[in-house]
Amino acid sequence: MIINADLHIHSCFSRATSNNMVIDAIAPQAKLKGLHLVGTGDGLHPGWLEIIKDSTTPQGDGIYSTEDCDFIITAEVEDNKRVHHLLILPSLETAHELREKMVSVDKEKEGRPRVRMNGAEIMDLVHDYDGLIGPAHAFTPWTSMYKAHDSHQDCYGKKPDFLELGLSADTNMADVIKELQDVPFLTNSDAHSPWPHRLGREFNQMEVEDISFSSLKNTLKRKKIKANYGMDPRLGKYHLTACTKCYQIFNPKKALELKMKCPECNGTIKKGVDYRISEIATWNKPHHPYHRPPYIHILPLAEIIALTYSRGVTTKGVQSIWESLVQEFGNEIEVMINAPMDEIKNIDKEISPAIQAFRDKTLIMVPGGGGKYGEIKFPENNLDKYL
């Protein structure tokens, strides 16, 4: 069977996360998005584990279900070098045991805990419990594997089970690094709210025997990911080298000459993902291994609607149009990729040309950097040729 899976989100117990990040809100939104399997996130937080237990029904083999969505236990941890790791765990019981061995229980209250271990130690412990581990948002300039290390061997001492690309990178960027040729890539949302422009903004299409931990593990081991769906990396917050205060974009070499200090506002300049990858690249062009699935760029439908009507993503008008389209075609992924354009036009004639422009890849992407998301613009500031 083919499923859509978003394996990295956060709960209401993580810093800067919506109070609505609870199972009862996440599950119905996941269904509307078109997701079949969602990682719980924050699987080392006791309060969140209790909510999962109380809000879902165990299905066996690591799956906890609601009427709308299946969940698998996942967590993100920060090691002693500030590298973030994504864990996929076989059960709630495993999560409780790992927390006791990894986390300073009395001091750590954060959904994404800091642990006094390095990457290799975390990997060995997770593998002792039959779990899976890989670097989260592997290239970002703050808390990533390739921020602290030049190689996954330096971080783990061995190959990770997967690598999460993050919003500012895609397969074409990562496949210039030789050591990643045998590592499956994941694309996940890292969502901090359940709303449709966050949850499932990146997801994995996978071939699985059934929805279970064992099947997911087998899929990753056999590299049976059918497609990675994700944002154009130019829209990521750290794609280009930029100031973290005023967001001015800099040529990386000029930024180094400036000692990573912005001459306009004295803010800190952060190295962009594109430049960091160029520093550790083996080749100038991507070398895709035989098992690498296609990477398909996708945008949140709510952002397309908001851009069309010049309104906020969470405004009632935008959400009303989003709901109409999703109700008609079943879920958001279907609307963006497969729904017939004439049928979309019958529901909202203003949105259909914008979705067509997305499908034609003619939308203009203004790159992000320094912590600011990139922007979407319509071609030539209008969509007349699509009407």
Side-chain angles (χ1 to χ4, degrees):
M1 62 188 297
I2 304 298
I3 65 168
N4 298 324
D6 181 357
L7 300 173
H8 182 181
I9 68 170
H10 287 281
S11 76
C12 57
F13 292 98
S14 276
R15 188 180 295 112
T17 301
S18 169
N19 290 333
N20 291 307
M21 283 302 270
V22 293
I23 297 295
D24 291 345
I26 296 168
Q29 292 298 320
K31 182 179 180 180
L32 292 172
K33 191 75 177 187
L35 301 172
H36 305 100
L37 180 65
V38 175
T40 61
D42 296 355
L44 299 182
H45 191 284
W48 183 230
L49 293 176
E50 283 301 308
I51 290 177
I52 296 168
K53 179 182 176 181
D54 293 340
S55 304
T56 64
T57 301
Q59 300 298 317
D61 201 356
I63 300 300
Y64 301 84
S65 300
T66 69
E67 181 181 348
D68 296 316
C69 183
D70 291 323
F71 290 88
I72 193 166
I73 308 300
T74 62
E76 185 181 15
V77 298
E78 182 177 302
D79 73 15
N80 58 9
K81 288 192 175 181
R82 299 206 65 198
V83 175
H84 286 194
H85 307 270
L86 177 62
L87 318 181
I88 306 175
L89 305 176
S91 68
L92 280 170
E93 293 74 20
T94 298
H96 280 293
E97 291 185 35
L98 278 176
R99 174 176 170 79
E100 289 193 7
K101 294 195 173 185
M102 293 175 65
V103 181
S104 178
V105 177
D106 294 333
K107 295 182 179 180
E108 186 58 72
K109 306 298 183 183
E110 168 70 18
R112 179 182 55 211
R114 296 179 181 179
V115 300
R116 296 176 180 177
M117 305 170 71
N118 61 37
E121 291 169 333
I122 297 172
M123 173 178 275
D124 287 344
L125 184 57
V126 170
H127 283 171
D128 285 345
Y129 282 87
D130 198 36
L132 300 165
I133 180 173
H137 41 74
F139 304 102
T140 54
W142 292 101
T143 51
S144 74
M145 180 179 73
Y146 284 118
K147 166 64 169 63
H149 305 279
D150 289 333
S151 166
H152 62 58
Q153 289 289 328
D154 295 339
C155 181
Y156 296 114
K158 62 185 76 171
K159 184 182 74 174
D161 299 312
F162 56 82
L163 175 141
E164 184 184 70
L165 291 169
L167 303 184
S168 296
D170 63 9
T171 296
N172 280 334
M173 296 174 67
D175 267 340
V176 299
I177 302 171
K178 185 177 181 179
E179 73 168 5
L180 299 181
Q181 291 286 286
D182 197 38
V183 178
F185 293 160
L186 292 182
T187 39
N188 301 311
S189 70
D190 198 359
H192 285 220
S193 82
W195 312 130
H197 63 298
R198 293 290 185 251
L199 184 66
R201 59 185 168 181
E202 298 206 344
F203 65 93
N204 311 276
Q205 192 171 82
M206 298 177 166
E207 181 180 344
V208 296
E209 295 179 3
D210 54 37
I211 297 181
S212 66
F213 175 81
S214 297
S215 184
L216 175 63
K217 184 174 184 177
N218 188 46
T219 291
L220 290 175
K221 295 294 184 184
R222 296 175 60 198
K223 304 179 181 67
K224 289 293 185 179
I225 299 173
K226 302 295 290 184
N228 292 114
Y229 285 81
M231 293 166 49
D232 186 305
R234 290 173 292 181
L235 297 176
K237 293 196 293 184
Y238 300 106
H239 182 67
L240 293 183
T241 300
C243 175
T244 59
K245 188 175 180 180
C246 70
Y247 306 118
Q248 180 179 341
I249 303 295
F250 288 89
N251 177 288
K253 293 182 179 179
K254 180 64 175 178
L256 292 173
E257 291 176 4
L258 294 169
K259 297 182 179 179
M260 308 305 281
K261 280 292 182 181
C262 176
E264 299 297 324
C265 70
N266 203 38
T268 300
I269 300 172
K270 273 292 176 182
K271 188 181 295 184
V273 167
D274 69 325
Y275 183 62
R276 178 55 182 149
I277 288 177
S278 75
E279 290 182 317
I280 55 178
T282 310
W283 307 291
N284 292 325
K285 295 183 179 180
H287 286 54
H288 299 306
Y290 76 92
H291 63 83
R292 190 74 72 215
Y295 190 105
I296 300 169
H297 290 143
I298 193 166
L299 289 172
L301 174 60
E303 292 192 5
I304 293 288
I305 299 170
L307 181 64
T308 301
Y309 285 96
S310 299
R311 298 177 184 173
V313 174
T314 58
T315 59
K316 289 183 178 179
V318 169
Q319 291 302 308
S320 177
I321 296 169
W322 180 87
E323 289 173 4
S324 297
L325 289 165
V326 169
Q327 287 175 3
E328 178 66 23
F329 299 106
N331 61 66
E332 178 177 318
I333 295 168
E334 190 68 18
V335 175
M336 292 299 294
I337 297 174
N338 298 318
M341 293 307 306
D342 56 345
E343 295 183 23
I344 293 175
K345 190 173 183 179
N346 288 337
I347 297 173
D348 192 298
K349 65 179 181 180
E350 301 296 330
I351 293 302
S352 61
I355 294 176
Q356 187 64 61
F358 158 74
R359 293 182 183 180
D360 291 345
K361 301 180 180 180
T362 58
L363 291 173
I364 296 169
M365 308 293 173
V366 180
K372 180 183 179 182
Y373 285 111
E375 299 178 25
I376 312 163
K377 293 186 177 181
F378 290 134
E380 301 174 359
N381 297 319
N382 69 75
L383 293 175
D384 291 345
K385 67 178 180 179
Y386 292 100
L387 296 173

